Amino acid sequence: LPAAVLLKDTKLMDVKLGQLGSWLAMRDFTPGGILGAMRRGHERYYNKYINVRKGGLGGLSMVLAGYVILSYMWSYSHI
């Protein structure tokens, strides 16, 4: 049997729909908690796509695509 994992330590993709409310209630929505989550996300992205031994254009093209979509939304705010 796998060891029981606390709901707080469970990733969002592993949370059941009935547990979503209590999982969200356990998140840290203070400015420090949000900043920490953004920092962890950036580190995960950087280590997966940028800081690799044999790099490619995958990570940079995703950043460029995000910028294009964001600038399109800013230019056409009526949509």
Side-chain angles (χ1 to χ4, degrees):
L1 290 168
V5 178
L6 296 175
L7 186 60
K8 183 179 180 184
D9 299 331
T10 307
K11 294 181 181 179
L12 177 60
M13 294 297 294
D14 298 331
V15 175
K16 305 269 192 273
L17 191 57
Q19 299 171 331
L20 187 60
S22 58
W23 183 83
L24 281 173
M26 293 183 194
R27 300 294 99 195
D28 185 11
F29 288 109
T30 62
I34 293 172
L35 186 63
M38 290 175 64
R39 185 177 296 131
R40 287 190 304 273
H42 175 265
E43 287 176 6
R44 188 176 302 136
Y45 172 82
Y46 182 79
N47 288 329
K48 185 172 183 179
Y49 293 109
I50 307 297
N51 189 24
V52 292
R53 194 174 297 229
K54 183 179 172 184
L57 294 176
L60 295 176
S61 63
M62 285 178 22
V63 170
L64 181 62
Y67 173 73
V68 167
I69 291 170
L70 191 62
S71 65
Y72 180 82
M73 289 176 10
W74 284 336
S75 297
Y76 298 100
S77 60
H78 63 278
I79 296 178

